[in-house]
Amino acid sequence: KARRATDIEMLELPSGLRLLLKEDDRLPFAYFRIGMLGGVLSETPANSGLTRLMSRSMLKGTAKRPASVIASEVESAGGSIDAYSGNNSFGLTLDMLSDDTALGQAVFLDVLLSPAFDPGEIERERTSQLAAIEQQRDHLLSHTLKKLRSLIFGDTGYGLDSIGQAPVVTSLSHKQIAA
């Protein structure tokens, strides 16, 4: 039977990890995605904003590659890399030209499995996140929706904001972020 561009193959590894594979050779791109349970559902008022700070810091260097090398390797292969965090999950995405799939896989796994969490890079990300919290406070609709979520859900789960609270984000330690 001919494989269609929409067919998705699911493999379950012995660890329980599910791997979804989809081949589509109509465009010369390779896409790597991983989504993991996390986000506000795994946070508490004491560590609110941790997932975002951790996921953004992952991109800032690994044991083998400083951030500049990650950016250079990905961009030279016509790609992009990003991390995300939200309500239910966090993850990593990497897209690049399929001729460089091996490089993409190596960079993706390096960022995922051995982020350096350099203290200086964490502080830069913390400063950026604190600025985003301040900006959100100045945006009426965002501020109102944040308050509404807190009223509906309380101070756990969906009642927390994925960007965190300034005092909490300020207090998050390197050890908490790396863990």
Side-chain angles (χ1 to χ4, degrees), residues 145-157:
L145 290 174
K146 181 177 174 177
K147 290 293 187 190
L148 178 62
R149 285 172 53 141
S150 178
L151 288 171
I152 293 172
F153 298 107
D155 65 353
T156 59

Side-chain angles (χ1 to χ4, degrees), residues 55-73:
S55 65
R56 297 282 174 102
S57 296
M58 287 174 63
L59 296 174
K60 303 303 179 184
T62 70
K64 298 178 193 172
R65 293 175 170 90
S68 60
V69 170
I70 293 169
S72 175
E73 286 179 334

Side-chain angles (χ1 to χ4, degrees), residues 95-121:
D95 306 336
M96 66 175 33
L97 293 171
S98 56
D99 287 346
D100 294 305
T101 299
L103 171 65
Q105 181 181 11
V107 171
F108 186 81
L109 290 174
D110 193 27
V111 169
L112 179 65
L113 300 175
S114 58
F117 294 119
D118 176 84
E121 295 293 350

